[in-house]
Amino acid sequence: MKICVLNCSPKNELSITLQAVAFLQKWFQEKLKEDEFDIVPAFSGTVTEKIEKAIKKADLIIMSGAVFHFDVHSSMGKLLDVLSDDHHDMIKDKPVTFLSTSGMVGDTLAHNRFEIWAKRNGLRYINSLSLESSEILSPIGREELFCWFKYTRSTAGYYKSGVLPQAKKRGRVVLLDTSENEIDRIASAIKAAKQRFEASGFDTEVITLRDKVIHNCTGCQSCFSNRICIYKDDWEKTFENLYLDTDMIAYFGELHYSTLGNCYKTFLERHASLGRSGIEDEVIKSYFFILDEKADREDITEFKIHCEAFDGLNCSYLSDICEIESNDKVREMCDKMTIAYNSDIMPQNGFLKDGIRNGFSKIAASVKERCPGDYRYFREIGCYDTIEPSPHVRWLDNAEDAKKDREARLMPYKMTLLHLEGLPVITERRKNKSISVIERQKAAARGAETSDASMKRPHTC
């Protein structure tokens, strides 16, 4: 596969994001001998002859660059405008993605802008990646980068071939109907998704929330200590059926004020009984929606942020959100989810997850005697560790000092890449599969060691 990398960083060769590309090149071009990387400087904001030549022959375009003031750099923004205004026929239908290494909340806005640009200008957008720069110095960060790129190149290949992807091993998919009333368009989309997933080799089940008896959370906080809700209704059984042994979840519903409707919100609010630490399961998720009579086009962008916030609470990979325009589009999204499943893709460490988790860790610390399970969870993942200031940060007086500083910061990346042997080790996904989420969370609240055998049987009311 021919891969065009447009290096949009103002630091050019001294860009840390470009170091992530160097890791990909070493793995996929040098070791696997599957790809050909053409890395082109693209900071000028203009489409040079070299950029034009690289894009024309590319099977996949990667934009690599930094995030400035919560957005793509102004030079990269100019390049995107020039490409869409003056070279639309050249970029149309090209698979494209974006790689950054800030790994912060602000990256969400930059990546959403890039996604909107790609989709509005007829490119085939593939889910982009934001990593904290130092992550690629660790095995888990390199694994995330490796699996993301497996997904990216496989999706680019799928766009070229159009062949139905087959699941590498039989998994389980749940299609969750969140609509408060039966809607023909949503029912048709669910049917199309079910047929597509089953054709790819998945066991598929449909859960309809409106058929369940689920009471509204009263905010009584009785569950904070023992994680047992005062209500005995369909919530617990529905939740376990949604998550137990599930590899992927597709949500269907009406978009109502930038989010799914009250039926789903009622179900989601009862998740509070599981604690503030979220649900520790690696599940691939996508959201399929139609606009209700009160929604408008601006709600779609807001909905993407809402979905990232929901999934920022737990270890889930947000594959995409998709407006139900046709069943062909639904089937395409199902295929992309299957490719993500086959690629062992990891939950993203960047975007909103860290910001949301840090906020909840502060809440857990303030009520640690009442919610010991939450506090212990955040303590174990290091939320209360004090980060020592880097001894390498020093005063910079001029541009020459700044250049030397950037060169020094690159040394660990270059040394790691130089001594890198083999490909990243792929860790086991869904380690807690087949074990009741609710029983695990109750055990965490008690601080008890509960056997796997006792937790495999979901508690039902």
Side-chain angles (χ1 to χ4, degrees):
M1 182 175 288
K2 295 185 183 299
I3 298 164
C4 165
V5 179
L6 299 182
N7 178 23
C8 301
S9 172
K11 298 175 184 177
N12 295 319
E13 296 297 322
L14 298 180
S15 163
I16 290 180
T17 308
L18 194 59
Q19 297 305 304
V21 175
F23 278 83
L24 295 175
Q25 187 175 28
K26 184 165 186 174
W27 292 326
F28 288 90
Q29 181 172 313
E30 296 180 21
K31 291 190 176 295
L32 294 175
K33 302 187 185 305
E34 293 179 342
D35 302 304
E36 178 185 329
F37 283 74
D38 189 0
I39 303 173
V40 184
F43 178 63
S44 65
T46 60
V47 178
T48 64
E49 184 178 338
K50 194 171 183 179
I51 291 175
E52 190 172 342
K53 184 178 179 181
I55 289 177
K56 283 181 177 179
K57 69 178 184 179
D59 299 308
L60 169 66
I61 301 170
I62 300 177
M63 295 275 198
S64 71
V67 174
F68 281 68
H69 284 242
F70 310 112
D71 201 350
V72 300
H73 191 280
S74 55
S75 175
M76 180 175 170
K78 183 179 178 182
L79 177 65
L80 297 179
D81 289 340
V82 172
L83 283 170
S84 57
D85 293 343
D86 301 336
H87 301 274
H88 182 263
D89 291 340
M90 181 176 71
I91 62 175
K92 186 182 178 182
D93 293 327
K94 289 278 187 180
V96 65
T97 190
F98 179 36
L99 174 63
S100 69
T101 50
S102 297
M104 299 178 183
V105 174
D107 282 28
T108 304
L109 305 180
H111 283 256
N112 283 350
R113 170 190 172 151
F114 183 85
E115 178 182 351
I116 291 169
W117 169 82
K119 290 180 176 179
R120 286 186 181 173
N121 287 285
L123 288 92
R124 295 185 179 273
Y125 172 77
I126 302 173
N127 301 51
S128 50
L129 178 68
S130 167
L131 273 177
E132 171 60 45
S133 57
S134 61
E135 284 292 318
I136 57 176
L137 300 178
S138 68
I140 191 170
R142 291 195 292 272
E143 181 189 355
E144 182 171 10
L145 178 65
F146 181 80
C147 291
W148 167 77
F149 192 68
K150 273 204 310 180
Y151 164 75
T152 298
R153 65 185 306 281
S154 295
T155 304
Y158 162 77
Y159 280 136
K160 188 174 183 178
S161 68
V163 176
L164 172 74
Q166 290 295 313
K168 63 176 183 179
K169 59 181 179 180
R170 197 164 193 88
R172 179 174 185 260
V173 181
V174 174
L175 311 178
L176 186 68
D177 185 349
T178 71
S179 303
E180 296 178 39
N181 300 293
E182 186 173 356
I183 300 172
D184 289 341
R185 283 176 62 195
I186 291 178
S188 176
I190 290 174
K191 182 179 179 180
K194 190 174 191 298
Q195 291 174 343
R196 195 66 171 185
F197 280 125
E198 289 175 346
S200 291
F202 291 96
D203 295 323
T204 309
E205 181 176 351
V206 179
I207 297 177
T208 305
L209 281 183
R210 63 179 173 274
D211 294 341
K212 310 298 180 183
V213 177
I214 300 175
H215 294 92
N216 295 92
C217 175
T218 64
C220 70
Q221 301 183 1
S222 296
C223 65
F224 274 26
S225 297
N226 59 20
R227 294 181 180 173
I228 298 174
C229 184
I230 61 170
Y231 285 121
K232 303 300 180 185
D233 54 17
D234 292 338
W235 181 83
E236 202 169 290
K237 186 176 180 180
T238 303
F239 176 87
E240 289 284 33
N241 196 24
L242 178 66
Y243 272 94
L244 197 68
D245 287 329
T246 303
D247 298 289
M248 299 195 290
I249 302 172
Y251 299 78
F252 294 81
E254 284 187 291
L255 203 58
H256 183 75
Y257 294 118
S258 301
T259 189
L260 297 178
N262 296 325
C263 188
Y264 174 63
K265 191 60 168 59
T266 299
F267 175 69
L268 186 65
E269 285 169 354
R270 292 281 295 280
H271 286 45
S273 62
L274 299 178
R276 266 46 52 202
S277 54
I279 308 152
E280 289 304 304
D281 279 298
E282 296 172 331
V283 182
I284 296 168
K285 297 180 179 180
S286 282
Y287 295 81
F288 297 79
F289 64 89
I290 61 174
L291 298 174
D292 71 7
E293 67 276 4
K294 297 178 182 178
D296 58 32
R297 307 303 301 179
E298 292 180 359
D299 287 344
I300 297 175
T301 303
E302 288 293 323
F303 183 47
K304 181 72 180 291
I305 303 292
H306 288 176
C307 292
E308 286 165 347
F310 296 156
D311 295 314
L313 287 171
N314 54 61
C315 291
S316 299
Y317 179 79
L318 176 59
S319 179
D320 215 336
I321 67 166
C322 173
E323 184 179 2
I324 300 171
E325 299 171 312
S326 68
N327 286 346
D328 286 341
K329 184 65 176 176
V330 171
R331 285 187 281 266
E332 179 186 317
M333 276 300 309
C334 294
D335 290 350
K336 288 182 70 177
M337 290 179 73
T338 301
I339 294 169
Y341 172 78
N342 288 342
S343 303
D344 300 303
I345 202 158
M346 297 178 69
Q348 285 210 29
N349 290 323
F351 294 149
L352 295 176
K353 180 171 292 182
D354 286 341
I356 290 174
R357 288 203 161 186
N358 287 337
F360 273 88
S361 70
K362 291 178 181 178
I363 295 173
S366 67
V367 292
K368 62 182 180 182
E369 299 302 327
R370 188 172 182 180
C371 309
D374 292 328
Y375 176 72
R376 183 169 52 253
Y377 166 77
F378 287 114
R379 186 183 63 209
E380 288 175 356
I381 65 172
C383 285
Y384 307 121
D385 296 343
T386 301
I387 301 173
E388 296 295 330
S390 171
H392 305 294
V393 177
R394 60 188 181 87
W395 187 279
L396 299 177
D397 264 326
N398 50 58
E400 186 60 31
D401 283 350
K403 181 180 179 182
K404 290 178 181 178
D405 182 69
R406 288 199 298 270
E407 290 172 344
R409 289 173 58 201
L410 285 185
M411 288 305 297
Y413 299 92
K414 292 185 176 180
M415 293 301 294
T416 301
L417 185 63
L418 182 65
H419 297 287
L420 203 61
E421 296 293 337
L423 302 173
V425 176
I426 308 302
T427 56
E428 179 188 356
R429 297 284 178 264
R430 300 298 315 280
K431 292 181 181 179
N432 291 316
K433 191 175 180 180
S434 300
I435 302 176
S436 163
V437 177
I438 291 174
E439 294 304 323
R440 289 201 327 257
Q441 298 293 63
K442 289 179 182 178
R446 296 190 302 267
E449 293 293 333
T450 306
S451 67
D452 287 356
S454 67
M455 291 193 288
K456 286 184 179 179
R457 299 186 296 274
H459 174 73
T460 56
C461 303

